[in-house]
Amino acid sequence: MADYQIAPSILSADFARLGEEVDNVLKAGADIVHFDVMDNHYVPNLTIGPLVCEALRKHGVTAPIDVHLMVKPVDRIIPDFAEAGATYITFHPEASDHIDRSLQLVRDSGCKSGLVFNPATPLDYLKHVMDKVDMILLMSVNPGFGGQSFIPGTLDKLREARKLIDESGYDIQLEVDGGVKADNIREIAAAGADTFVSGSAIFGKGQDSDPNRYDSIIKQMREELAKAG
């Protein structure tokens, strides 16, 4: 079976007890903590900054933290998140004046780098920077808000991205974000994704009867991924 990674988006967590929420979802079997960083400029919403990332590290979170920057410009904030404890930093090509330079800045800051593609953004940028990309994130919704439905056309785009990765020979993760649920994660994996961001479909399915609140939903996702092979 492929090395599938589940990345709950804390945008859908209970921020009044964020440390506990992240502890529980990781104990339930999640792999990566996903940060949706929005600036009310590049996208019409305002969320969290580096201080939240730093607070989780101080709380004791050791799992990889995947920071998705929906901000413009990106270069100013990259070092701040790196210093705060980010593992991955991904950004949208439209938000950088010099994509190659921004990717190198992420790596020079000690993090893994990645590009994020909105539903209508072509993958053409990748052809020139595959050597500087550790993660490709495909948005399966338009960025800005949680709880949206998966855009089916993303499946073809995933297949295209998977082909580019395989042909490049580089070790690059292929992540998908938006509308990922237990009932479609298998199909998304079959299209080529190996890392799955899910917000409300995880944090909205918490059960008090579970030892770590989210065990049942993470288990259900794992079972579906196992069927994908």
Side-chain angles (χ1 to χ4, degrees), residues 17-58:
R17 50 189 186 94
L18 185 58
E20 178 187 347
E21 287 273 73
V22 172
D23 287 344
N24 281 337
V25 81
L26 290 171
K27 288 175 184 175
D31 305 287
I32 298 171
V33 180
H34 186 82
F35 266 58
D36 286 306
V37 182
M38 306 180 192
D39 65 355
N40 196 34
H41 178 66
Y42 179 69
V43 291
N45 202 351
L46 184 65
T47 58
I48 52 178
L51 289 177
V52 178
C53 182
E54 182 181 13
L56 285 178
R57 288 301 191 205
K58 289 181 177 178

Side-chain angles (χ1 to χ4, degrees), residues 42 74 83 91 102 114 131-132 139 155-156 161 169 171 195 199 221:
Y42 179 69
V74 298
E83 188 175 349
F91 62 91
S102 297
D131 61 321
K132 289 186 172 70
M139 295 300 296
L155 295 173
D156 285 337
D171 182 15
T195 306
M221 286 181 164

Side-chain angles (χ1 to χ4, degrees), residues 136-157:
I136 297 167
L137 170 53
L138 299 191
M139 295 300 296
S140 42
V141 298
N142 287 292
F145 299 94
Q148 299 181 66
S149 297
F150 183 87
I151 296 174
T154 308
L155 295 173
D156 285 337
K157 201 171 185 181

